[in-house]
Amino acid sequence: MKKIIIAIDGYSGCGKSTTAKIVAEKLNYVYIDSGAMYRAVTLYFLRHQIPLDDTEAVINALKRIDIRFEYNPHTHKSETYLNGESVEGEVRSMAISDKVSDVSKIHEVREALVMLQQRLGLQKGIVMDGRDIGTQVFPQAELKIFMEADIDIRAERRQAELLAKGEDLPLSDIIQNLQKRDLIDTQRSESPLRKADDAIELDSSNITIEEQTQYVIELAQKVIQEVNVMELV
Ligand code: DC
């Protein structure tokens, strides 16, 4: 059975990763969280005080960064590893969310991570979520979804997520962070967040996680069937 690439792009906090994770699980595909890669690089840059405007320092730092995703049998989840250390919790913190859009604007960072993402996609059978997956990383992806949602709803969901991890923040701080990231992500010169022409729009404001994942799974099953019929012709 021929496998496909599913690209899920969209604004911060629309439920891209929740959807991507469940879709991957249902299809028996590999889920790759490209945002976690930008977050891991941000964490490394913060820890090592890499000046973002020093291209040489950025290039040298990137050479010292190894990012992997590994399954943790205790949590039954795939976790982000930075140079052998699980940083899954740390990369989701507000301190990282605050800086990640500035780091992901940097040309050299994008170049390195896009290459890594494309390598991970070589075997197909993947669901990757991010901002430029359908436009830059896999413009040939067989299924592209572009997710949006109301800012207040996105903020409430993000607040609940952070609270579950022990970080209690006022809604206004979260809205501010989302707005700032939306602005940087859509306005940056290098692969800004935008809907690919052939992406299917999905507004998750008023639907449940079950409904949004079911919608994507049905679309994916249809595309997989079409791709496999084409193979036989
Ligand atoms: O999906 P996320 O919120 O974890 O992503 C964190 C940041 O990383 C986001 O604000 C922009 C950046 N990012 C990017 O520029 N390109 C991607 N493919 C994924 C994320």
Side-chain angles (χ1 to χ4, degrees):
M1 183 90 134
K2 200 164 175 243
K3 293 188 168 186
I4 64 167
I5 292 180
I6 302 173
I8 303 184
D9 288 305
Y11 295 90
S12 305
C14 291
K16 296 185 302 289
S17 48
T18 310
T19 306
K21 229 177 273 173
I22 300 173
V23 170
E25 218 173 85
K26 289 273 158 65
L27 297 175
N28 218 355
Y29 275 28
V30 175
Y31 163 59
I32 300 163
D33 178 351
S34 72
M37 297 180 178
Y38 288 94
R39 287 172 179 274
V41 169
T42 305
L43 176 62
Y44 185 93
F45 282 10
L46 280 179
R47 280 182 179 173
H48 297 270
Q49 295 168 5
I50 308 296
L52 302 187
D53 54 359
D54 183 340
T55 307
E56 210 177 305
V58 164
I59 292 173
N60 283 328
L62 286 168
K63 286 184 195 147
R64 297 194 297 270
I65 295 177
D66 175 61
I67 300 169
R68 281 165 210 267
F69 294 104
E70 273 174 37
Y71 182 75
N72 181 334
H74 301 293
T75 57
H76 302 288
K77 282 182 188 154
S78 162
E79 295 186 353
T80 314
Y81 280 76
L82 170 62
N83 293 339
E85 171 197 355
S86 173
V87 291
E88 187 56 33
E90 213 171 335
V91 293
R92 314 279 162 198
S93 69
M94 199 57 164
I96 299 298
S97 296
D98 249 354
K99 289 277 171 298
V100 65
S101 283
D102 286 323
V103 171
S104 46
K105 278 196 303 202
I106 303 171
H107 168 77
E108 289 73 18
V109 171
R110 300 209 72 81
E111 201 174 46
L113 292 188
V114 168
M115 218 153 71
L116 177 59
Q117 289 152 9
Q118 289 173 335
R119 217 169 46 226
L120 292 172
L122 280 180
Q123 86 281 20
K124 295 248 180 170
I126 63 157
V127 185
M128 191 178 290
D129 76 319
R131 304 292 185 289
D132 60 343
I133 311 305
T135 52
Q136 294 293 326
V137 182
F138 298 120
Q140 80 286 16
E142 289 86 350
L143 177 61
K144 299 179 187 175
I145 307 288
F146 189 81
M147 290 187 70
E148 301 169 84
D150 201 83
I151 185 100
D152 293 323
I153 294 175
R154 288 157 59 196
E156 278 166 24
R157 289 178 184 157
R158 196 37 63 91
Q159 189 183 40
E161 249 171 50
L162 286 167
L163 195 60
K165 288 179 182 135
E167 211 173 345
D168 188 3
L169 286 167
L171 207 58
S172 55
D173 283 15
I174 298 175
I175 291 178
Q176 222 174 30
N177 172 264
L178 289 178
Q179 282 171 334
K180 183 183 129 191
R181 283 165 60 198
D182 284 356
L183 191 76
I184 302 178
D185 294 348
T186 52
Q187 303 298 313
R188 68 180 178 224
S189 57
E190 186 130 347
S191 29
L193 166 66
R194 68 167 183 85
K195 179 180 125 25
D197 295 336
D198 51 349
I200 297 166
E201 276 175 60
L202 171 55
D203 188 323
S204 69
S205 307
N206 299 306
I207 54 173
T208 62
I209 291 172
E210 289 73 27
E211 286 168 334
Q212 74 203 33
T213 49
Q214 194 49 36
Y215 177 68
V216 179
I217 289 165
E218 280 169 21
L219 285 173
Q221 283 167 337
K222 198 164 151 256
V223 175
I224 293 168
Q225 203 176 17
E226 281 166 9
V227 164
N228 281 283
V229 168
M230 292 289 285
E231 274 287 281
L232 296 174
V233 179

